[in-house]
């Protein structure tokens, strides 16, 4: 634990930020798994709708600083490629 008041505050802030970032990242992973199962099932309509939400979620994560910009773009691109390869 920090000895200085400002250090204690920083520690509290870091805990809150870590929890927020973790929950946002978890939501991204959950939606990614859901999308992959829908792609495997071959449900095009639901997949397209969920893909739009997934892209929005990634963009928000980038805006909030949870993900780097290129990471968000890469994830969207890879998912779009899988979506385009659906039968």
């Amino acid at each position: 634990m920090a000895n200085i008041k400002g250090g204690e505050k920083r520690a509290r802030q870091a805990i809150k930020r870590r929890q927020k970032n973790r929950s946002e990242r978890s939501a991204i992973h959950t939606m990614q798994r859901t999308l992959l199962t829908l792609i495997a099932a071959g449900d095009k309509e639901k997949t397209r709708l969920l893909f739009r939400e997934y892209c929005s979620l990634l963009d928000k994560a980038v805006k909030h600083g949870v993900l780097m910009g290129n990471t968000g773009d890469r994830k969207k691109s890879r998912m779009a490629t899988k979506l385009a390869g659906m039968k």
Side-chain angles (χ1 to χ4, degrees):
M1 193 64 187
N3 296 328
I4 299 169
K5 255 188 161 176
E8 291 173 359
K9 182 177 178 180
R10 281 285 178 201
R12 287 193 308 269
Q13 288 173 335
I15 290 169
K16 286 180 186 175
R17 288 188 184 122
R18 194 175 311 116
Q19 288 172 344
K20 174 116 176 56
N21 291 343
R22 193 171 175 140
S23 72
E24 232 175 298
R25 246 184 255 119
S26 175
I28 290 169
H29 289 149
T30 302
M31 192 170 287
Q32 187 176 8
R33 283 192 301 271
T34 307
L35 264 169
L36 291 174
T37 56
L38 283 175
I39 288 172
D43 193 354
K44 283 189 178 186
E45 274 307 305
K46 281 186 182 176
T47 307
R48 286 200 175 120
L49 291 173
L50 197 64
F51 177 69
R52 289 187 65 185
E53 290 179 32
Y54 178 68
C55 289
S56 175
L57 197 64
L58 287 172
D59 289 337
K60 287 176 186 173
V62 169
K63 187 171 103 177
H64 297 154
V66 176
L67 296 177
M68 298 294 287
N70 287 345
T71 304
D73 291 342
R74 184 180 66 246
K75 286 180 181 291
K76 285 191 286 188
S77 175
R78 288 182 181 171
M79 193 59 73
T81 304
K82 289 177 184 172
L83 186 63
M86 273 182 72
K87 294 181 179 177

